[in-house]
Amino acid sequence: MGTVILLTLTGLGLAALYFLVASGLSLVFGLADVLNFAHGLFLGVGAYATWWAAANLPGAGSDGFGFVLAVVFGVAAGTLVAVLVELVLIRPLYSRTIEQVLVTVGLSLAGVALLQATWGADARPFPRPDWTRQVTGILGAQVPNGGLLLIIAAVLVLGALLAFLRWTRYGLVIRAGVENREMVTALGIDVRKAFTLVFAIGGAAAALAGALGGVYFGTVSPGQGGSLLIFAFIVVVIGGMGSVVGSAYAAVAVGLLQQFVNYYGPSGLGDVCVVGLLAVVLLLRPQGIAGKVATA
Amino acid sequence: MTEVKSPEVPAPPAAVPAELTPERGRWHRVRPFLPLVALVLAVIVPYSTLPLPGIFEGPLNSPGTLQVLAVCLVFGGLAAGYDLLFGRTGMLSFGHALYFAAGVYGTDILVTKAGLPLWQAALLTVTGGTILAALLGAVALRTVGIAFAMVTLAFAQVGAILVARDFGGFTGGEEGLPLDVSGLPAGLVGVTNTVNLYWLALAYLALVVFVVHRVSSSPTGRVLAGLRDDERRIGVLGLDPYRYKLVAFTLAGGLAAAGGGVYCLIVGGASPHITSSELTLSMLVMVVLGGPGTRWGPVLGGVLYMYLDHRLTAFGSSDAVESLPAVLSRPLSQPLFVLGTLFILAVYFFPGGLASLTSRLTLLRRSLLPPSRR
């Protein structure tokens, strides 16, 4: 029983990480039709900025309020990079989908290489508060606190995103834009402002995932974002493009499946099963669990 | 409301676009034979002892240089095969590295673990890679556009996981699998025989270019071009887009698997980095840098990309770069940073890639010449 609960909670921790990356990807794709390969870069920037801030920023540290400050700095850095990428690189290629994808591909290659050039290819130990290294006993299972922190953060982000999308004017514009972008434009609303906003939200969520993922794994390395990104893509496709709630469901399904199969089967089989799930969903329901039809 | 007309502006005469008028230059007659000349030159390269300081480390026929050239040629062929998907059919596949890796690992495992002779291993590998591409393509092609890209990416990721986790002890996991050369033909083994591997790579490149050229000039190729430009219209004409796309996908997968076999012989083994999604992304970079949908663009792009990837590593550790301030020298020592930046610039400023360079230069020359000489 304890094992099942432990696996469930660590699976949910993984799901939280996937959700943080996938929610931004899904919104960006749903609204702007940009498949953002540079999303892993935002994650890397968030992780490295938090790591840097904990050691160098006055007032920030690896414990208590200082750590919160470091994470805030990391998220701000990720947001800033995301906004800059949208304004400088994506916006001039408005509505040329393939070129936008190509630019984000180039950016992901160059950006990761830049991180590697600056801080080296090896994983660095991540500064984390002492309590995240400990475990909490829940129903007989010893659950690492870092995973619980991720779950709480993801639930908060999910709640905040849904509230934002439901009750604010910009949320309305974004929801309408995912549904039918031409109509929103025709009504005289500058939908490109919403693009920037969505990039900022996605960048912030990915940077948070980077920072908290660093806490969870205990290290930070340039390639981290890339490997997470592929599973985030799978989550986006399963959940349905442009649907935050769909991403949340899909993230939970993928995280739990991966964790359980990897534990009970040979290591790595869980990752294969996730792709199998993707194939099944695509064959039975190409538009994903929720959201619009998954076409370009 | 009356229309206001400006009387003094006559309509400009309808000009025939430059690309429609056949060029009557010196090159006009030689042009069809240029590929043949290039091929002959490439064949006789190993007989030259010409040293090219700054470009290659040794003389042209030194084994090191020939191996670099062979790898470049294989990737030229690989990029040309990938262009069959991306440039000619408009399919954005992010999983092409899978079929290449299937070729590399298939050949390696069949020769090293199963002890088959090379020709049987190669035949089985190419067949297997083609079947794999057909099966996975049949599933992936149920989606279109960006979703297709993501699905192919996911399939390729499974390949990467299978190789890295080493199920059944076939692939050697993270360390890769060195090729067992004892069963290979003697002409393909050893440093002195690098020249044969070079010719093999050249033959592969020529084969891919020939196949892609034949396919794209056939009726099927016209349907593929139609799919790229307007898929719905092809459907309206009564042709099944799914089948044609599957044909292109399978063919490209088979060509990539064959390239994998050649690559395996050249580098003498398999390593897990060839299964990474980064390799597919670099294939995309090669094609876009070279010029998608053209005959020679992807080949040039692939050769140049691999050459730069190789040389930039040496360039990054050279004295000229080391002496720069750290802000500049560190990024410059990362080949992927330079290539990624180059790629972004190419997307912005050279949408047609290297292949469009000649027509761009022609335009430039014409506009610079005085009008009387045009």
Side-chain angles (χ1 to χ4, degrees):
Chain A
M1 189 59 197
T3 318
V4 173
I5 291 174
L6 177 66
L7 286 177
T8 309
L9 283 172
T10 46
L12 284 178
L14 201 59
L17 205 54
Y18 291 156
F19 170 75
L20 286 178
V21 182
S23 56
L25 268 180
S26 179
L27 275 182
V28 166
F29 187 81
L31 184 66
D33 282 342
V34 180
L35 178 62
N36 190 7
F37 270 86
H39 215 73
L41 176 66
F42 304 158
L43 188 141
V45 167
Y48 272 98
T50 310
W51 171 81
W52 181 85
N56 297 324
L57 196 71
S62 64
D63 218 341
F65 180 71
F67 181 70
V68 175
L69 196 63
V71 171
V72 168
F73 180 80
V75 170
T79 315
L80 186 70
V81 170
V83 169
L84 280 180
V85 165
E86 203 278 332
L87 287 180
V88 177
L89 291 174
I90 307 289
R91 185 168 282 196
L93 298 172
Y94 177 67
S95 84
R96 286 159 63 189
T97 315
I98 296 290
E99 276 89 346
Q100 285 173 333
V101 174
L102 295 181
V103 163
T104 63
V105 165
L107 199 63
S108 72
L109 294 178
V112 170
L114 194 60
L115 287 180
Q116 199 166 325
T118 321
W119 284 296
D122 299 327
R124 301 271 182 139
F126 200 78
R128 44 182 178 166
D130 281 330
W131 59 269
T132 58
R133 296 165 204 252
Q134 280 140 23
V135 291
T136 307
I138 298 175
L139 296 173
Q142 302 291 312
V143 186
N145 284 337
L148 293 179
L149 179 66
L150 264 175
I151 298 176
I152 295 168
V155 170
L156 287 180
V157 167
L158 174 64
L161 261 182
L162 287 182
F164 169 75
L165 288 176
R166 190 150 303 164
W167 287 311
T168 62
R169 182 180 153 73
Y170 271 105
L172 183 68
V173 171
I174 291 173
R175 274 189 296 147
V178 171
E179 197 84 19
N180 189 338
R181 195 172 68 202
E182 286 76 18
M183 193 65 207
V184 175
T185 318
L187 289 173
I189 295 166
D190 188 0
V191 88
R192 284 177 300 177
K193 275 186 194 148
F195 286 0
T196 317
L197 187 64
V198 161
F199 259 84
I201 293 172
L208 185 65
L212 298 184
V215 171
Y216 185 59
F217 295 122
T219 54
V220 50
S221 63
Q224 222 165 30
S227 49
L228 270 175
L229 190 65
I230 291 178
F231 285 104
F233 278 149
I234 295 177
V235 166
V236 170
V237 176
I238 292 180
M241 323 263 177
S243 164
V244 174
V245 182
S247 292
Y249 286 137
V252 170
V254 167
L256 287 181
L257 182 70
Q258 205 173 3
Q259 201 73 5
F260 272 92
V261 178
N262 270 344
Y263 182 80
Y264 287 109
S267 164
L269 189 65
D271 306 13
V272 178
C273 278
V274 168
V275 180
L277 178 68
L278 170 75
V280 170
V281 168
L282 280 175
L283 290 177
L284 298 180
R285 198 176 156 80
Q287 71 272 37
I289 297 175
K292 64 178 182 181
V293 178
T295 53
Chain B
M1 187 173 165
T2 53
E3 219 173 309
V4 184
K5 281 188 177 175
S6 51
E8 295 305 317
V9 185
V16 182
E19 59 266 26
L20 291 184
T21 50
E23 199 164 331
R24 299 273 166 208
R26 279 164 296 171
W27 290 104
H28 179 60
R29 276 183 206 180
V30 196
R31 222 177 165 143
F33 299 104
L34 275 183
L36 212 59
V37 173
L39 183 67
V40 169
L41 275 181
V43 166
I44 60 170
V45 154
Y47 295 111
S48 151
T49 53
L50 190 70
L52 294 169
I55 300 178
F56 290 110
E57 268 132 26
L60 262 182
N61 65 344
S62 67
T65 305
L66 282 179
Q67 194 188 17
V68 171
L69 280 175
V71 170
C72 288
L73 290 176
V74 168
F75 274 85
L78 207 58
Y82 182 66
D83 188 53
L84 189 64
L85 293 183
F86 177 68
R88 301 195 188 260
T89 318
M91 286 192 276
L92 189 58
S93 161
F94 278 111
H96 207 58
L98 178 65
Y99 311 106
F100 177 66
V104 177
Y105 272 99
T107 312
D108 200 350
I109 289 171
L110 287 176
V111 167
T112 307
K113 299 272 175 180
L116 290 183
L118 181 64
W119 68 270
Q120 285 181 6
L123 203 65
L124 276 176
T125 303
V126 173
T127 319
T130 314
I131 293 173
L132 181 73
L135 288 178
L136 294 185
V139 176
L141 282 169
R142 289 178 57 93
T143 56
V144 289
I146 296 295
F148 173 75
M150 289 196 196
V151 174
T152 49
L153 182 71
F155 283 149
Q157 187 63 15
V158 172
I161 295 167
L162 288 180
V163 166
R165 300 293 163 101
D166 196 9
F167 291 116
F170 287 119
T171 61
E174 298 281 329
E175 277 135 43
L177 184 67
L179 187 66
D180 178 16
V181 293
S182 59
L184 294 187
L188 295 176
V189 181
V191 177
T192 45
N193 287 323
T194 312
V195 58
N196 293 333
L197 294 175
Y198 169 82
W199 280 324
L200 186 65
L202 187 63
Y204 169 70
L205 174 64
L207 173 80
V208 174
V209 170
F210 178 72
V211 168
V212 171
H213 174 60
R214 284 308 299 255
V215 167
S216 55
S217 57
S218 71
T220 308
R222 281 197 288 279
V223 176
L224 295 182
L227 284 171
R228 174 190 62 198
D229 298 336
D230 191 349
E231 183 170 332
R232 198 174 299 164
R233 172 128 198 212
I234 295 293
V236 168
L237 288 174
L239 298 162
D240 187 3
Y242 179 84
R243 282 191 197 179
Y244 282 92
K245 285 203 272 188
L246 190 58
V247 165
F249 194 84
T250 311
L251 185 61
L255 287 176
V262 177
Y263 181 79
C264 178
L265 290 173
I266 293 172
V267 299
S271 64
H273 80 269
I274 52 160
T275 60
S276 68
S277 56
E278 218 163 73
L279 186 72
T280 309
L281 297 189
S282 29
M283 272 188 233
L284 194 62
V285 174
M286 293 169 195
V287 170
V288 173
L289 276 184
T294 56
R295 196 188 311 170
W296 299 108
V299 176
L300 272 180
V303 170
L304 199 67
Y305 181 97
M306 282 320 277
Y307 172 74
L308 284 179
D309 194 35
H310 173 77
R311 280 307 291 181
L312 285 175
T313 317
F315 168 73
S317 52
S318 68
D319 294 337
V321 173
E322 289 284 322
S323 61
L324 289 171
V327 184
L328 278 177
S329 74
R330 279 193 183 158
L332 282 181
S333 65
Q334 295 282 340
L336 271 183
F337 175 76
V338 180
L339 287 169
T341 313
L342 212 64
F343 176 62
I344 296 178
L345 293 178
V347 171
Y348 274 98
F349 302 112
F350 285 96
L354 290 174
S356 73
L357 218 54
T358 45
S359 58
R360 278 163 186 265
L361 286 181
T362 316
L363 279 179
L364 186 70
R365 208 182 60 215
R366 279 196 191 151
S367 57
L368 287 181
L369 282 178
S372 58
R373 290 188 55 197
R374 270 184 210 175

